Amino acid sequence: MKVIAIINQKGGVGKTTTSANLGSAIAELGKKVTIIDLDPQGHLAVSLGVRKNQSGIDEVLTGEKSIQQQIISLSDNLQLITSGLKLKEIEQLTENRAHRGDLLKNALHESLQDQDYVFIDCPPSSGLLIVNALFATDEIVIPMTSDFLALQGLSHLMGTIKKFESLLKKQYVAWLVISRYTPNRKISKQVLNMLLTYFPKQILATTIKETTLLAECPSFGQSILEYRSGSRSAKEFRKLAIDFMEGRIMYGKK
Amino acid sequence: MAKNNKTVSDENNLIGYDPLAWMTEELLEQETVAEEENTVSVQELEVIKPSGSIKLEAVLNIQNVTPLHEKLKNSIGANDLIEIEVSDVTSIDTTTLQLLVALKKESIKLQKIVIFIKPSPRFLESAKLLGLLEILDI
């Protein structure tokens, strides 16, 4: 079982889109995938067609339920654990602070061993939930838009990750996914070139272009693979799935 | 490509400064300075949390902009990341929006992050009306 955090403290960079569609694409390739919605906003569940408010990872973290009780099966290979309404409260817990960081790690390692990949869709914040995600994983995927403020956000995120690496004495395998890419904008190419300079072996080969279909599909509760299976966006996520599984990276400057 | 924090003189370059430059600098430092031995306890995780959280009031106008300015100034001085929750905002005037834009610009200059979370419909509407969605990064 590989546990991967889809993380970026900046909002609007495509974390949930990447979680839903990359997870679905890998499941389509026959791998067993569980996606966990660690964002109290609960958008991942809605994006995948689960609209009913129900408990999820929140009650796993509080010890009220086991992971197995919270699993929602979406297809043969794909399952979801929703965020749950109490997740926001967990972010704000103030008691027993020293022991809060490993709640998720402990829960995951009790279960889900039959899964090939467990993706954690992280919230756009830097609180307890992110601490839990970074405790639980050895591998991270960072969706990045190609604009200046995203670079600024990435700078902060890399600082946080380096602090964790130092504290936990481990090194994360980190991949960048270029999402919401608009190739006709000059600044997009310049940002991508800057990223290639700093992360020459970490940017997954396929860029995910900004498209209307990707904006539409969450409202239908479907991944892009279900919503428009033959679309460019669906093809990009299928390629990205192979990039991720095989470590195929982007080379050179765009 | 420039790898420093100075303004890039190349007029074709659309990126004014490089926020990732510290990564190269840190790498160079690591090559010359022996790595310190760390004995770490879980309690030290508290140090990691670099965020300040501020929740804005429902009604934001010129009458209460001064204390808000003070609050934001103190917060950006003390934190690398500030999350500003704007879920309760039911009324916001241009003075307050100007203050938030100034904060956002200052944060970029200081290489800090200001994030607006859970924007209320009225907050979104006002920011959109004044064409500030992009600069506020909402």
Side-chain angles (χ1 to χ4, degrees):
Chain A
M1 176 184 68
K2 260 189 176 183
V3 181
I4 306 107
I6 312 264
I7 189 169
N8 194 328
Q9 289 152 323
K10 186 179 183 305
V13 294
K15 287 183 291 295
T16 300
T17 303
T18 303
S19 301
N21 294 303
L22 179 61
S24 298
I26 292 174
E28 198 181 73
L29 291 169
K31 300 293 180 186
K32 292 200 174 300
V33 177
T34 297
I35 317 176
I36 298 173
D37 192 352
L38 202 64
D39 185 345
Q41 295 177 100
H43 290 169
L44 177 65
V46 175
S47 299
L48 292 170
V50 178
R51 295 203 176 91
K52 191 182 157 195
N53 282 334
Q54 55 193 303
S55 73
I57 197 69
D58 58 343
E59 293 197 352
V60 174
L61 296 179
T62 56
E64 295 167 76
K65 298 268 174 68
S66 71
I67 287 247
Q68 295 300 336
Q69 286 175 291
Q70 304 302 73
I71 287 172
I72 298 170
S73 179
L74 300 176
S75 67
D76 286 348
N77 292 325
L78 184 63
Q79 51 190 29
L80 169 74
I81 298 174
T82 64
S83 54
L85 296 170
K86 295 180 197 165
L87 200 58
K88 192 180 170 198
E89 296 162 28
I90 292 170
E91 177 84 307
Q92 293 158 357
L93 279 178
T94 54
E95 291 175 5
N96 300 320
R97 299 191 74 162
H99 303 291
R100 298 177 308 158
D102 52 3
L103 294 169
L104 181 64
K105 182 180 180 180
N106 294 341
L108 289 185
H109 286 268
E110 284 169 13
S111 317
L112 299 179
Q113 290 296 338
D114 62 327
Q115 296 295 292
D116 295 307
Y117 297 94
V118 175
F119 288 99
I120 305 168
D121 183 23
C122 294
S125 65
S126 58
L128 174 65
L129 294 174
I130 293 294
V131 172
N132 266 275
L134 288 173
F135 251 92
T137 184
D138 292 322
E139 191 161 347
I140 57 180
V141 168
I142 307 168
M144 269 291 294
T145 52
S146 46
D147 59 85
F148 171 74
L149 289 176
L151 276 181
Q152 180 78 11
L154 180 64
S155 171
H156 179 76
L157 176 63
M158 295 314 295
T160 303
I161 289 168
K162 280 178 187 293
K163 283 176 186 170
F164 267 85
E165 287 182 332
S166 169
L167 285 166
L168 302 177
K169 296 192 186 305
K170 67 177 179 183
Q171 193 152 19
Y172 292 102
V173 175
W175 304 105
L176 271 70
V177 171
I178 307 301
S179 65
R180 307 188 69 173
Y181 190 60
T182 45
N184 52 342
R185 286 167 60 200
K186 194 175 170 186
I187 193 168
S188 299
K189 291 179 184 171
Q190 290 190 3
V191 169
L192 183 50
N193 282 337
M194 191 177 271
L195 291 173
L196 281 164
T197 305
Y198 284 106
F199 305 95
K201 294 179 181 170
Q202 290 171 270
I203 305 176
L204 292 179
T206 305
T207 56
I208 305 297
K209 317 288 184 307
E210 174 99 307
T211 64
T212 310
L213 290 176
L214 278 176
E216 288 171 5
C217 59
S219 72
F220 293 91
Q222 294 176 329
S223 72
I224 191 68
L225 310 182
E226 300 163 290
Y227 184 63
R228 291 286 189 279
S229 182
S231 66
R232 185 178 74 174
S233 296
K235 287 174 188 165
E236 285 173 352
F237 270 106
R238 288 192 179 102
K239 279 188 191 170
L240 187 71
I242 296 169
D243 294 345
F244 175 73
M245 291 165 69
E246 296 181 358
R248 289 194 318 204
I249 54 167
M250 193 183 288
Y251 289 100
K253 291 195 169 185
K254 290 280 151 182
Chain B
M1 183 184 307
K3 277 193 168 189
N4 56 48
N5 288 335
K6 291 175 186 165
T7 303
V8 179
S9 58
D10 179 1
E11 62 182 21
N12 292 320
N13 197 323
L14 301 177
I15 303 170
Y17 81 96
D18 179 356
L20 295 168
W22 65 270
M23 292 179 65
T24 311
E25 287 157 13
E26 190 173 84
L27 197 65
L28 288 171
E29 277 173 25
Q30 280 172 358
E31 284 168 1
T32 51
V33 179
E35 201 174 321
E36 283 179 31
E37 268 304 314
N38 285 330
T39 51
V40 176
S41 66
V42 181
Q43 281 85 344
E44 284 189 48
L45 282 172
E46 304 238 347
V47 180
I48 293 169
K49 195 174 178 181
S51 64
S53 297
I54 292 173
K55 187 170 185 178
L56 296 192
E57 302 290 324
V59 178
L60 301 162
N61 55 33
I62 198 161
Q63 275 80 35
N64 49 32
V65 78
T66 305
L68 179 62
H69 175 246
E70 200 59 29
K71 196 174 181 181
L72 295 174
K73 201 170 70 176
N74 291 339
S75 187
I76 202 165
N79 300 292
D80 292 334
L81 170 71
I82 308 172
E83 286 184 349
I84 302 178
E85 186 178 334
V86 286
S87 59
D88 286 351
V89 176
T90 55
S91 170
I92 181 166
D93 68 354
T94 51
T95 317
T96 312
L97 278 166
Q98 277 175 12
L99 175 65
L100 298 180
V101 169
L103 175 74
K104 192 79 184 175
K105 285 182 176 171
E106 185 67 9
S107 71
I108 292 167
K109 211 186 294 176
L110 297 171
Q111 300 192 44
K112 297 189 173 189
I113 314 288
V114 171
I115 303 171
F116 295 95
I117 57 169
K118 301 174 194 164
S120 68
R122 179 49 62 94
F123 184 87
L124 277 175
E125 191 188 327
S126 303
K128 190 178 178 184
L129 198 64
L130 294 172
L132 299 175
L133 287 177
E134 197 171 341
I135 194 160
L136 293 176
D137 199 23
I138 303 164

